[in-house]
Amino acid sequence: MAVVILIIAACYFYFFKNLEIETRFIPSEFEYCGAVINSDDMDYLNIVRWLKSNNHGWDTDWNTPIQGNIYRNPVFSVVLFDGGVSVSYKTDNGYPRFIKSVEHGFKLECTHGS
């Protein structure tokens, strides 16, 4: 019985915990706070830099409803919320969602263009 529990726990941690997000899918632009931003904008550069330096340690998110500050693109989205970040992007197998509990340091309200 203990062996079965260990196997189940190992599978859980292998498949659902400590995952890596694919930063190669980050698009060249996002819609953020009603504006389109790209590599000419600090808001874009800051979120891309953060994602690339924090691409490890993610968990599978089972579509938890999350409210927050959104960087949106049809193929990649980032939601910043108090205490974490959620990421979803298009792959050949659909749109997996990942979540990470972290103090990210980003503002949680739109400040772009203000």
Side-chain angles (χ1 to χ4, degrees), residues 50-51 58 78-81 83-87 98-100 102 104:
W50 188 90
L51 289 169
W58 293 78
V78 180
V79 180
L80 304 170
F81 57 95
V85 177
S86 176
V87 171
F98 303 93
I99 195 164
K100 186 173 196 172
V102 63
H104 46 72

Side-chain angles (χ1 to χ4, degrees), residues 7-114:
I7 291 172
I8 291 171
C11 288
Y12 173 76
F13 283 106
Y14 180 78
F15 289 108
F16 302 118
K17 301 288 276 177
N18 203 22
L19 301 171
E20 182 175 322
I21 59 169
E22 293 288 344
T23 58
R24 64 189 167 104
F25 294 137
I26 295 174
S28 60
E29 65 183 27
F30 285 107
E31 179 185 323
Y32 173 69
C33 295
V36 175
I37 61 172
N38 57 34
S39 62
D40 295 331
D41 193 297
M42 283 306 295
D43 289 322
Y44 176 89
L45 294 173
N46 287 336
I47 195 64
V48 169
R49 190 175 304 126
W50 188 90
L51 289 169
K52 287 182 176 181
S53 65
N54 291 277
N55 66 326
H56 290 54
W58 293 78
D59 298 327
T60 299
D61 182 12
W62 301 106
N63 295 319
T64 306
I66 298 172
Q67 296 285 331
N69 204 0
I70 302 174
Y71 291 78
R72 188 178 323 238
N73 184 289
V75 297
F76 200 106
S77 67
V78 180
V79 180
L80 304 170
F81 57 95
D82 189 25
V85 177
S86 176
V87 171
S88 179
Y89 49 83
K90 184 179 186 216
T91 68
D92 291 339
N93 299 320
Y95 287 84
R97 277 183 54 176
F98 303 93
I99 195 164
K100 186 173 196 172
S101 295
V102 63
E103 291 303 324
H104 46 72
F106 289 98
K107 293 186 178 184
L108 297 179
E109 66 279 345
C110 284
T111 58
H112 181 74
S114 48

